[in-house]
């Protein structure tokens, strides 16, 4: 793959890439970045873990003017966890530019602090649709100077019923803006909406066939799923794993049952307060808990270094959700 040096990126971004150890582009970065830097609207489909975040982050940071203290870029994500992950990448890349403020606006945390931060201005907003729309309607968030809007994991946002919120949010932005849609999958439900949201978008499908081969998928048919988990951990020598359930109630119940069996487990689902959700991820990342039992809220945007396995306690209701779950490895 070509080097990032082949792109017309500002020097501070190239310095950030060098500091982070990025030299050559992945397929999705090579396929999308030239078009993004030309100002094209794009709809990009690429596998989980292929480098989508770096692609759109570089594109929007290339256009940022640090001297103009208004919202110039907006990134919408389906979950708080993904928004935090994306914001972390953007901040890291922006560090060499200097004076670029990235603000995360998500539900589950008090609005008071977010409103206070907005009064001091921001260049880039990363948030979930519900909270971003609420702040726009309250007239405390101004996107009248927006240059680029990014919909990350757009199919999942449609799946979660956010399309009306997204349409309303884009209505607060200038008609002339660049729109970037990124996702690992694009079902028919979102393809019909692209023509309404984007202007002559470039459709890109980046293929990374070798990536799938690295994930070994094994299915077990068993009568007692809960009792099978300790055996699986021993048999496959699993030190840590994410266990996915389809409902919040079952997630909490399975987590309690695993702890009762002596396997230190921690739950993660949408009914938990943001502080508790963050704490759960921290504990799992630092090895305090062996298993993270979660709903599909953890299916995207959570990257755990050295994750041994994904256990689908329940079969997901959609193929796309299965793709995202196993992509956590």
């Amino acid at each position: 793959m070509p080097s990032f040096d082949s792109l017309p990126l500002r020097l501070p971004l190239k310095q950030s890439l060098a500091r982070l150890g990025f030299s050559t582009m992945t397929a999705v970065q090579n396929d999308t970045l030239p078009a993004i830097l030309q100002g094209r609207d794009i709809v990009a489909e690429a596998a989980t873990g292929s480098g989508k975040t770096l692609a759109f982050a570089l594109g929007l940071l290339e256009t940022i003017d640090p001297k103009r203290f208004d919202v110039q870029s907006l990134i919408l994500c389906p979950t708080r966890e993904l928004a935090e992950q994306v914001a972390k990448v953007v901040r890291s890349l922006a560090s060499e530019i200097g004076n670029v403020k990235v603000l995360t606006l998500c539900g589950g945390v008090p609005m008071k602090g977010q409103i206070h931060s907005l009064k001091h201005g921001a260049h880039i907003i990363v948030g979930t649709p519900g909270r971003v729309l609420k702040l726009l309607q309250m007239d405390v968030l101004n996107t009248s100077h927006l240059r680029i809007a990014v919909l990350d994991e757009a199919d999942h946002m449609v799946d979660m019923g956010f399309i009306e919120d997204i349409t309303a949010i884009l209505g607060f932005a200038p008609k002339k803006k660049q729109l970037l849609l990124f996702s690992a999958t694009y079902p028919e439900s979102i393809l019909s909406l692209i023509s309404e949201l984007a202007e002559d978008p470039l459709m890109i499908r980046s293929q990374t066939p070798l990536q799938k081969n690295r994930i070994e998928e094994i299915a077990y048919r068993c009568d007692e799923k809960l009792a099978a988990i300790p055996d699986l951990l021993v048999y496959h020598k699993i030190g840590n794993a994410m266990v996915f359930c389809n409902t919040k109630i079952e997630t909490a119940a399975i987590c309690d049952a695993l702890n009762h069996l002596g396997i230190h487990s921690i739950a993660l689902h949408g009914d938990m307060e943001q502080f508790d959700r963050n704490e759960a991820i921290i504990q799992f990342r630092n090895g305090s808990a062996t298993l993270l039992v979660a709903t599909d809220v953890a299916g995207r945007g959570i990257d755990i270094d050295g994750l041994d396995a994904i256990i689908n306690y329940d079969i997901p209701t959609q193929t796309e959700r299965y793709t995202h779950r196993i992509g956590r490895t």
Side-chain angles (χ1 to χ4, degrees):
M1 280 294 172
S3 165
F4 283 106
D5 288 334
S6 64
L7 296 172
L9 293 170
R10 54 174 65 174
L11 180 59
L13 285 179
K14 290 186 176 182
Q15 291 172 335
S16 291
L17 287 167
R19 173 176 52 80
L20 294 169
F22 294 113
S23 55
T24 58
M25 291 184 277
T26 64
V28 67
Q29 292 157 4
N30 183 57
D31 292 344
T32 62
L33 268 167
I36 294 173
L37 295 174
Q38 290 170 9
R40 289 285 305 271
D41 284 2
I42 69 162
V43 177
E45 177 184 316
T48 299
S50 59
K52 300 187 298 292
T53 304
L54 194 69
F56 65 70
L58 286 170
L60 64 87
L61 285 169
E62 179 62 27
T63 70
I64 288 293
D65 180 358
K67 296 178 182 178
R68 277 185 48 204
F69 222 61
D70 46 36
V71 177
Q72 298 170 43
S73 296
L74 170 66
I75 305 170
L76 294 176
C77 304
T79 66
R80 288 170 273 186
E81 285 74 20
L82 181 57
E84 292 288 349
Q85 186 84 21
V86 168
K88 182 179 178 181
V89 172
V90 175
R91 289 189 183 103
S92 184
L93 286 171
S95 61
E96 301 291 339
I97 300 174
N99 199 35
V100 175
K101 185 175 179 182
V102 182
L103 185 59
T104 306
L105 301 177
C106 300
V109 295
M111 277 195 291
K112 186 176 180 180
Q114 295 175 346
I115 293 170
H116 178 75
S117 295
L118 283 168
K119 288 179 180 178
H120 290 82
H123 297 97
I124 301 168
I125 298 295
V126 186
T128 49
R131 179 54 58 92
V132 169
L133 180 58
K134 183 69 174 177
L135 292 167
L136 282 166
Q137 292 170 335
M138 292 172 63
D139 203 26
V140 293
L141 172 59
N142 184 350
T143 56
S144 60
H145 296 96
L146 193 72
R147 294 178 177 181
I148 299 179
V150 180
L151 305 185
D152 191 18
E153 306 290 11
D155 61 326
H156 193 35
M157 287 195 282
V158 170
D159 196 33
M160 294 171 70
F162 282 137
I163 192 59
E164 290 184 3
D165 287 355
I166 291 169
T167 303
I169 288 167
L170 295 178
F172 282 88
K175 188 172 182 181
K176 187 173 181 179
K177 61 185 175 299
Q178 187 177 9
L179 187 62
L180 312 177
L181 286 82
F182 279 80
S183 184
T185 53
Y186 274 101
E188 288 299 320
S189 58
I190 198 171
L191 292 176
S192 61
L193 297 167
I194 290 170
S195 59
E196 301 176 25
L197 298 175
E199 182 178 337
D200 187 28
L202 179 63
M203 305 291 290
I204 297 170
R205 277 190 165 90
S206 294
Q207 300 296 324
T208 51
L210 293 177
Q211 192 169 0
K212 292 183 179 179
N213 297 337
R214 298 195 196 106
I215 301 177
E216 182 182 9
E217 298 168 70
I218 305 170
Y220 289 99
R221 186 188 295 270
C222 52
D223 295 324
E224 297 292 337
K225 292 192 290 183
L226 182 64
I229 290 179
D231 293 336
L232 287 175
L233 298 181
V234 173
Y235 181 76
H236 290 288
K237 299 178 182 178
I238 295 170
N240 65 349
M242 293 176 70
V243 180
F244 280 100
C245 301
N246 287 347
T247 67
K248 291 175 278 192
I249 293 174
E250 188 174 35
T251 296
I254 296 303
C255 182
D256 288 343
L258 287 166
N259 278 304
H260 186 70
L261 290 174
I263 302 171
H264 189 188
S265 306
I266 194 162
L268 179 65
H269 55 76
D271 278 351
M272 295 167 60
E273 293 293 331
Q274 185 61 41
F275 174 83
D276 294 328
R277 289 166 70 164
N278 292 342
E279 188 65 23
I281 295 170
I282 290 169
Q283 287 189 39
F284 186 59
R285 276 202 172 111
N286 66 24
S288 298
T290 301
L291 300 180
L292 181 67
V293 187
T295 59
D296 283 296
V297 73
R300 308 183 187 213
I302 296 180
D303 296 325
I304 308 294
D305 291 335
L307 185 64
D308 289 343
I310 297 295
I311 298 174
N312 282 288
Y313 190 86
D314 291 324
I315 297 172
T317 56
Q318 296 176 332
T319 304
E320 291 84 2
R321 291 185 179 181
Y322 178 79
T323 301
H324 288 296
R325 286 181 181 185
I326 68 171
R328 296 310 95 210
T329 59

